[in-house]
Amino acid sequence: MLKKELFRIIDANFNRSREGLRVCEEVARFVWNSPPLTKDLKAIRHKITEILKEKPSIAKALCENRDCLSDVGKAPRAKSEMRRRDTLDIFSANIERVKESIRVLEEFFKLIDKNNSAEFTKLRFKVYEVEKRALR
């Protein structure tokens, strides 16, 4: 795989995972008023950011290889994505997005750093645990 494509995949999924976590964090914080869930979601988001910050050369390459204008997957959005019934639906859609994007990071980091890949595995299972608590 070409590095440019690898960096684009990783960049999109770093962004997607942190954005989804932020949405879930806001639901936990402002709608459910749950300090434990808010804290756990924030910690996962910060850990993902920390992994990126530990690799400044990769962080730079991600930004340099970003190509939003020619991204074939950016539009149009699925109709289901434009409909949300309530805040639980918003949380559920975003926690799914987080799990999927962390799985992508886990897989593609096997090509860059197996230790980070293992960290993403741990984070994904932490997300499963937080999701279970949130949806009780």
Side-chain angles (χ1 to χ4, degrees):
M1 171 177 280
L2 297 172
K3 283 195 175 199
K4 178 179 181 175
E5 286 76 14
L6 175 64
F7 290 140
R8 289 183 68 206
I9 291 167
I10 291 172
D11 181 50
N13 285 282
F14 262 122
N15 292 335
R16 186 176 296 122
S17 64
R18 291 179 297 174
E19 290 163 359
L21 283 163
R22 174 58 94 173
V23 171
C24 292
E25 186 182 329
E26 301 297 18
V27 171
R29 178 180 175 190
F30 294 111
V31 178
W32 298 338
N33 297 308
S34 174
L37 288 174
T38 302
K39 178 183 172 195
D40 289 345
L41 290 162
K42 185 176 184 177
I44 295 166
R45 183 171 52 83
H46 281 228
K47 180 60 180 170
I48 292 170
T49 301
E50 180 183 310
I51 290 170
L52 182 59
K53 285 183 179 178
E54 289 172 355
K55 302 196 172 310
S57 61
I58 290 177
K60 182 179 180 199
L62 296 180
C63 204
E64 288 173 350
N65 288 283
R66 186 176 296 151
D67 188 3
C68 299
L69 295 177
S70 66
D71 184 345
V72 298
K74 71 178 178 184
R77 290 183 174 214
K79 287 183 181 180
S80 62
E81 220 178 297
M82 299 308 293
R83 284 180 288 203
R84 298 287 188 250
R85 292 182 307 273
D86 52 28
T87 54
L88 178 60
D89 197 22
I90 291 170
F91 182 92
S92 296
N94 278 277
I95 204 73
E96 287 302 318
R97 184 174 289 125
V98 169
K99 292 183 298 188
E100 293 167 357
S101 60
I102 291 176
R103 178 60 184 208
V104 172
L105 291 169
E106 177 184 338
E107 288 296 326
F108 283 93
F109 259 82
K110 291 175 182 174
L111 301 173
I112 296 173
D113 186 319
K114 289 180 181 19
N115 291 329
N116 285 143
S117 177
E119 285 296 316
F120 285 119
T121 303
K122 292 176 192 172
L123 287 171
R124 185 166 49 86
F125 280 93
K126 178 69 174 169
V127 170
Y128 293 153
E129 184 270 323
V130 170
E131 176 187 34
K132 182 177 178 178
R133 288 187 4 244
L135 298 181
R136 277 191 203 147

